[in-house]
Amino acid sequence: MPTTPLPDPSPAPGRAADRRRSCLELPRPEEVHVLLLGLDALAAALAVRLLRCGVLGLNVCDTAAVTTADLGTGAYRPADVGRTREAALRRRLRELDPRCAPVSAPGMFPGALLPGTVVVHSTGRPVPAGAVEPEAWAAIDPRHPLISLHRAGGALLRWPTVPWAHRPCPDCVGATLAGREPGAAPRGPAAVLAAWAAPAHAEAVAVRLAVEVLAVALESLCEPDGLGPGTGERTGALQAALFAPPWPEAVSWPRIDRSRCLCGLDQE
């Protein structure tokens, strides 16, 4: 009785590189670990978005008290006003997903040898020159990729993704902002719209930043021949971005100026 020959299990020449990896080999969001330093309304909304994307390894750190200005994005509630941001956000994250067990300890964050680790530093207001960093930050692995966020007169400056050891100082941020083209201050109805839409703008930016954080983590989770290099480049994480309300798509790309200090050594 004739039989049908089995197909050759070996791939055709030139097709091996195009083969998709099985679902069991693909990285999962549960493998991502994010350390958030500074939990203003935007950073708190970012933590919630990461959790909704499946990221359970969240280390949230900010001992400042929740204020009414932090309530816009919905990450904090009116009952949280007066509590420390980290305690309020930990409770909120546990309520949203019982699998999440957030902590507030930079020293407990895994080293960069564990793939899928990202640090997010968000400053809710301009950092004064000469400001002293918390002692707990000394334990952070200098090789961790860092996404750094800075307030700039109502807008948000997202610094290019750099190793934690080369995080920008206030002089770098100030020089970069001083070199950008000044925009016209909104007046009349435009100013009212910007004030009304501030929470929506922060939430929209948080969604975009969540994708960027996941893209940076994916770079180290994927093998060189996996999903392909350049994820950070596709998200624009190698450039500085300035998000100006009220429109989430209103993004400019200021030129980085690291000439005023030594923190830019070894930077491309």
Side-chain angles (χ1 to χ4, degrees), residues 108-145:
M108 294 177 57
F109 194 63
L113 291 178
L114 181 69
T117 56
V118 183
V119 178
V120 178
H121 179 211
S122 179
T123 59
R125 57 186 179 277
V127 178
V132 179
E133 295 181 344
E135 293 183 4
W137 291 10
I140 299 175
D141 193 315
R143 297 167 293 179
H144 281 306

Side-chain angles (χ1 to χ4, degrees), residues 76 78-79 98 152 164 166 183 187 194 210 231 268:
Y76 299 116
W164 170 255
H166 296 293
R187 296 181 180 179
T231 306
E268 296 293 336

